[in-house]
Amino acid sequence: MAERQEQAAPDALLTRIGQIVMLHHGGDREEARDRLLGLWVELGEDGDPLHRCTLAHYLADTQDDPTDELAWDLRALSAADELTDGRDAGDPGETEDSGDMGNAGQEGAITIRAFYPSLHLNLAADYVKLDRPDAARTHIRRARDACTVLADDGYGNGVRAAIGRLELRLGDGDAGGGESWGPPRPRP
């Protein structure tokens, strides 16, 4: 019974994040930001990296200031790096280098790698907004390189299309315009 509760806890937090994201998509950006920030405080700076990555990734979308958006996207990338450096989303006790990793661990590692195209795309878009085209180009290349793990489905194709649009935008040398170049976000 206790084991089931422990397994359900991470899913419960991701469900709560997903509910708040729906609130944001429904148009209540400020309320969504406040609720996500509440979850961030509840989770803490040392909370589970998967949860921090997901929260920060969505918190970035709720920011009014591009510098704040960049800060949250950098937090999301940092948390994702913690997962790939030490453990994955599939099994908190296993590392990616572990020879004993079962299927759940492999699926978790793939899930985290699937975040990288979107994480880098969002960073590139942030840098475009901040008129830092060189940094934007660095992250758009990283986003393109990371696309190999994306499926040929609506989400994967949407991320690849958003990368292509931003690549074209950066190729024109026009980093302004105030348009939103962010990709679809991974579903929690």
Side-chain angles (χ1 to χ4, degrees):
M1 177 74 164
E3 183 178 323
R4 264 201 241 152
Q5 288 175 342
E6 287 177 24
Q7 290 175 346
D11 294 337
L13 185 56
L14 292 177
T15 298
R16 290 169 64 193
I17 293 168
Q19 291 167 341
I20 296 169
V21 169
M22 287 191 294
L23 180 69
H24 178 233
H25 290 173
D28 199 341
R29 183 180 191 152
E30 188 174 333
E31 180 66 21
R33 179 176 46 235
D34 290 345
R35 289 184 186 192
L36 289 170
L37 284 170
L39 286 180
W40 184 263
V41 169
E42 182 181 318
L43 182 60
E45 291 281 336
D46 296 322
D48 180 86
L50 175 63
H51 295 148
R52 285 187 290 118
C53 177
T54 305
L55 263 171
H57 196 53
Y58 287 113
L59 263 162
D61 284 344
T62 66
Q63 302 306 304
D64 297 322
D65 183 308
T67 302
D68 294 336
E69 186 175 358
L70 173 62
W72 283 108
D73 279 330
L74 287 169
R75 284 182 186 103
L77 181 62
S78 177
D81 287 344
E82 286 179 43
L83 285 164
T84 58
D85 286 344
R87 56 174 267 250
D88 59 58
D91 183 351
E94 297 289 336
T95 66
E96 283 195 358
D97 296 329
S98 173
D100 291 331
M101 186 185 307
N103 289 337
Q106 291 170 354
E107 290 172 14
I110 290 169
T111 300
I112 294 307
R113 286 193 303 268
F115 277 156
Y116 279 97
S118 181
L119 292 170
H120 285 293
L121 175 58
N122 284 312
L123 285 164
D126 295 342
Y127 286 121
V128 166
K129 291 175 192 174
L130 294 167
D131 196 25
R132 294 178 56 190
D134 290 339
R137 284 184 185 92
T138 296
H139 283 282
I140 204 67
R141 278 191 302 273
R142 290 177 183 165
R144 176 64 69 194
D145 291 345
C147 278
T148 59
V149 299
L150 295 179
D152 188 21
D153 60 9
Y155 175 74
N157 293 334
V159 171
R160 282 186 285 273
I163 290 169
R165 288 190 303 271
L166 191 53
E167 286 171 331
L168 286 173
R169 181 76 166 191
L170 287 166
D172 291 340
D174 179 10
E179 296 181 47
S180 174
W181 293 98
R185 298 291 189 162
R187 294 172 287 278

